[in-house]
Structures are given as C-alpha cells and as structure tokens.
Amino acid sequence: MTVRLDHIGIAVKDLDAAIRFYRDVLGLELERVEEVPEERVRVAIFKVGGVHIELLQGTDPESAVSKFIERRSEGVHHIAIHVDDVDAKTEELKARGVTLTYDKPRDVSGGTRRINFVHPKSAFGVLLEILTRREGSE
Ligand code: CMX
C-alpha cells in the first residue's frame, strides 16, 4: 500500500510572478506548467525531493482557487496524499461519515491522475486531496 505525501498546493494570484520567485529566486526545479480545465486552474509543478510543490492560479472567478484567494488570500490551499486506489478510499471515507467534495473521484490531466478532496470541515481545517496516479505518470 503506497500512502505518501504527493504535493502541497499553493494558491497564487499571478502564476508567472510566483514561478519567477520559486524557480529564479528560490532555485527550485520547474517540472512543468499545465492547465487543468476540470478544476479551472493553471498549475506550475516543482520537484522538491520526492514531493512536489504545485502553484495554482484560478482560470476563472468561479474556480475553487479564485474563491479561496478572494476569501482567505494567497497561501497553502491543499495537501495531497497519494493512495493506491482513490475510488476505494473514497468509498471507505464516505462509509466513515467523512465529507468529500466529489461523490466519485474524477480524472484530470488527460487521465494521468484520479482525484478527490476531503472537505476541510472533515480534516481539521485542511483541504486534503487524495489521488491515484496512473502507471507511468509521476
Ligand atoms: N483550505 C482550508 N479551508 C478552506 C479551504 C481550503 N482550501 N477552502 C475553503 N475552506 C473553508 C472556508 O474558509 C470556509 O470556512 P468557514 O466556514 O470557517 O469560513 C469553509 O471551508 C467553506 O466551505 P463551503 O462553504 O463548503 O465551500 P467553499 O465554496 O468555500 O468551497 C471547497 C470549499 C473545499 C468545498 C471547494 O474549494 C472545493 O470543492 N475544493 C475541491 C476542488 C479544488 O480545490 N480544486 C482546485 C485544486 C485542483 C488541483 O489540485 O488540480
């Protein structure tokens, strides 16, 4: 069973400015920049040891990330934990009374990741992403 910290998501207003800081000032390795239309975000992914830092900018005002920034300002938005089977984990957590944002996990990034979220009210104030990466994707 592979349970591990996968990434830390940070909500930012200006992705390009944030990339300049994390890559050029801090010196982190930028792995890729991609759009995740299913979640209405553009993300920049940095490799930090075996974990990633994911900078997120909302692509429209209704995006969860845009709403988060408007309500609470920029900052740590979620912590993501990799599990072997996000579908099974979703069902297990639901059976234990945990509130998840999606009834069933959804595929994102061309099907390379399957994700769900535990609502912060069920996780002591932290939005927790649970995800399973498909074979071959990092
Ligand atoms: N971390 C901690 N608390 C959060 C939060 C976050 N990221 N987002 C919202 N909250 C808190 C709010 O501050 C609020 O708390 P109070 O009631 O104490 O003020 C409460 O949660 C609001 O909850 P809500 O009314 O149910 O819902 P919101 O409209 O604020 O939406 C959430 C919150 C988590 C349901 C929504 O953001 C969501 O569905 N998120 C999952 C999808 C997502 O975040 N996608 C972006 C990332 C995609 C990616 O990684 O690719």
Side-chain angles (χ1 to χ4, degrees):
M1 171 112 165
T2 322
V3 179
R4 59 175 169 79
L5 182 61
D6 187 89
H7 67 266
I8 296 168
I10 299 174
V12 302
K13 287 182 190 164
D14 180 340
L15 190 67
D16 295 327
I19 288 172
R20 285 196 291 276
F21 172 74
Y22 281 88
R23 183 191 55 199
D24 303 337
V25 179
L26 205 54
L28 298 187
E29 180 193 338
L30 177 61
E31 206 170 86
R32 63 184 184 282
V33 177
E34 68 179 25
E35 185 143 350
V36 185
E38 302 87 346
E39 294 291 334
R40 293 183 281 187
V41 288
R42 198 160 73 92
V43 303
I45 295 165
F46 294 85
K47 201 165 186 173
V48 188
V51 180
H52 294 87
I53 288 181
E54 181 180 279
L55 306 178
L56 307 111
Q57 180 187 344
T59 51
D60 82 58
E62 288 311 305
S63 152
V65 168
S66 308
K67 288 204 279 191
F68 174 87
I69 289 177
E70 196 174 310
R71 196 165 173 172
R72 300 167 57 123
S73 89
E74 295 175 296
V76 174
H77 176 261
H78 65 270
I79 291 178
I81 293 171
H82 186 277
V83 296
D84 278 344
D85 183 345
V86 68
D87 289 85
K89 197 67 181 172
T90 293
E91 293 310 315
E92 182 194 322
L93 292 174
K94 274 168 34 185
R96 288 171 171 254
V98 173
T99 305
L100 292 117
T101 61
Y102 306 132
D103 188 48
K104 299 253 177 252
R106 48 165 69 172
D107 285 337
V108 297
S109 302
T112 56
R113 289 184 291 146
R114 194 159 167 77
I115 66 173
N116 205 345
F117 293 86
V118 177
H119 194 283
K121 298 275 183 214
S122 280
F124 300 84
V126 175
L127 177 61
L128 276 184
E129 179 177 342
I130 51 173
L131 78 150
T132 300
R133 290 185 185 277
R134 295 255 157 75
E135 208 70 16
S137 71
E138 255 193 287

